[in-house]
């Protein structure tokens, strides 16, 4: 199976694109000053993206585990399996490092954020700040919905692939069953023909035995002795011709 048709490489490209976008957002997050609304928004976006990619990599690892049980069935070898495992391990490490950095920055900024929230509660709310908070909250909801939508689409895609594989397996099993049925019919026909030949041979043998019995009865004792001597001489001649010449 070519890389363009292999489901692993299709999903791999999608995950790699998500990782590239996540890294771009992470670099943007690093340049933004702490304790700002935009950094809080990017922090949530990065954490949600990390969780989504980690889930996708885990699902890809499960698919690799299934393929490793019978690599020849999926048209791959152990070298390809090891290559795929290395890629998922590298992807998991990249995402894990970004997630740790974001969580560490979030903890460092947690104290300042709590002080700022207490100060905001001590004064009257500003309409502009309220609108900005609503705007960010709306963006957070949109990002969360988009992330969940991507996850559901990936899950549906994987289920479709599993159903296609199951359908192909059922078709193969059906073909094998049909072949076995045809083979059994052919063997039954051969057995019937062999039975008919055995019946015919048995009837002929009975007829010959009856004829021999009649001849032996008509020949009497002397005739029987002469026939036995004749058959013995004939056996000796045939033995000499076959084994001694």
């Amino acid at each position: 199976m070519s890389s363009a048709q292999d489901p692993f490489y299709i999903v791999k490209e999608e995950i790699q694109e998500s990782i590239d976008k996540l890294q771009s957002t992470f670099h943007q997050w690093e340049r933004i000053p702490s304790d700002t609304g935009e950094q809080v928004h990017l922090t949530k976006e990065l954490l949600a993206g990390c969780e989504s990619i980690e889930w996708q990599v885990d699902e890809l690892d499960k698919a690799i585990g299934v393929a490793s049980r019978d690599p020849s069935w999926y048209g791959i070898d152990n070298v390809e399996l090891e290559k795929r495992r290395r890629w998922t391990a590298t992807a998991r490490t990249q995402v894990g490092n970004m997630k740790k950095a974001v969580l560490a920055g979030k903890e460092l900024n947690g104290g300042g954020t709590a002080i700022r929230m207490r100060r905001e509660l001590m004064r009257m709310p500003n309409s502009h700040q309220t609108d900005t908070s609503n705007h960010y909250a709306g963006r957070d909801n949109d990002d969360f919905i988009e992330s969940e939508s991507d996850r559901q689409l990936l899950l549906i895609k994987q289920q479709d692939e599993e159903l296609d594989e199951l359908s192909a397996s059922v078709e193969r099993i059906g073909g094998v069953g049909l072949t076995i049925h045809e083979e059994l019919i052919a063997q039954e026909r051969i057995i019937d023909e062999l039975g008919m030949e055995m019946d015919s041979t048995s009837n002929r043998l009975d007829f010959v035995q009856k004829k021999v019995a009649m001849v032996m009865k008509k020949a009497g004792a002397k005739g029987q002795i002469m026939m036995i001597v004749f058959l013995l001489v004939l056996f000796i001649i045939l033995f000499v011709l076959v084994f001694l010449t």
Side-chain angles (χ1 to χ4, degrees):
M1 183 182 295
S2 64
S3 298
Q5 297 175 345
D6 196 326
F8 171 82
Y9 287 101
I10 296 175
V11 178
K12 174 187 172 183
E13 291 179 1
E14 295 178 357
I15 295 176
Q16 188 61 54
E17 290 178 1
S18 300
I19 293 175
D20 294 340
K21 292 179 181 179
L22 193 68
Q23 287 177 335
S24 177
T25 305
F26 177 74
H27 294 323
Q28 182 182 358
W29 175 84
E30 289 180 319
R31 294 190 296 267
I32 294 176
S34 60
D35 295 337
T36 60
E38 187 174 0
Q39 191 192 52
V40 173
H41 167 71
L42 290 179
T43 299
K44 294 181 179 179
E45 182 177 345
L46 285 170
L47 292 177
C50 288
E51 292 179 359
S52 177
I53 293 175
E54 285 176 343
W55 177 83
Q56 295 175 23
V57 173
D58 289 341
E59 292 298 320
L60 201 58
D61 257 341
K62 293 178 182 178
I64 295 173
V66 173
S68 65
R69 298 174 186 171
D70 189 4
S72 59
W73 177 266
Y74 298 94
I76 57 179
D77 52 19
N78 292 327
V79 176
E80 177 65 19
L81 284 173
E82 186 61 28
K83 178 181 177 182
R84 297 183 179 189
R85 290 193 182 100
R86 286 198 301 268
W87 184 88
T88 55
T90 301
R92 187 178 287 105
T93 300
Q94 290 177 341
V95 176
N97 290 337
M98 285 188 286
K99 186 176 181 180
K100 290 178 182 178
V102 172
L103 289 174
K106 183 179 180 182
E107 291 178 358
L108 290 175
N109 297 331
T113 302
I115 294 173
R116 188 174 64 254
M117 290 177 64
R118 286 196 295 268
R119 289 177 180 175
E120 291 294 330
L121 291 174
M122 296 297 293
R123 61 186 180 182
M124 295 297 292
N126 186 286
S127 60
H128 174 70
Q129 292 177 349
T130 303
D131 293 340
T132 304
S133 299
N134 291 335
H135 173 69
Y136 282 125
R139 289 181 60 184
D140 290 342
N141 291 334
D142 292 340
D143 293 337
F144 176 76
I145 292 173
E146 183 178 357
S147 174
E148 288 298 318
S149 177
D150 293 340
R151 181 179 300 181
Q152 292 297 327
L153 288 175
L154 180 61
L155 183 60
I156 292 173
K157 185 175 182 180
Q158 291 175 343
Q159 290 176 347
D160 289 341
E161 292 174 357
E162 292 175 356
L163 288 175
D164 291 339
E165 294 178 359
L166 181 60
S167 177
S169 299
V170 171
E171 291 179 359
R172 284 192 292 270
I173 293 172
V176 172
L178 183 61
T179 302
I180 294 174
H181 177 68
E182 294 176 352
E183 185 68 22
L184 289 174
I185 292 176
Q187 291 179 359
E188 184 179 0
R189 189 181 301 113
I190 293 172
I191 292 173
D192 291 339
E193 294 175 357
L194 181 61
M196 294 175 63
E197 291 179 1
M198 290 181 64
D199 292 339
S200 176
T201 303
S202 178
N203 293 332
R204 293 176 184 176
L205 183 60
D206 291 340
F207 178 76
V208 171
Q209 289 177 344
K210 291 178 181 179
K211 287 292 185 180
V212 171
M214 291 176 62
V215 171
M216 295 291 289
K217 185 176 182 181
K218 291 180 180 179
K222 185 177 181 180
Q224 292 178 5
I225 294 173
M226 293 296 295
M227 185 175 292
I228 292 172
V229 172
F230 173 75
L231 291 174
L232 182 60
V233 172
L234 180 62
F235 173 75
I236 294 172
I237 293 172
L238 291 174
F239 181 81
V240 171
L241 290 174
V242 173
F243 295 100
L244 301 181
T245 59

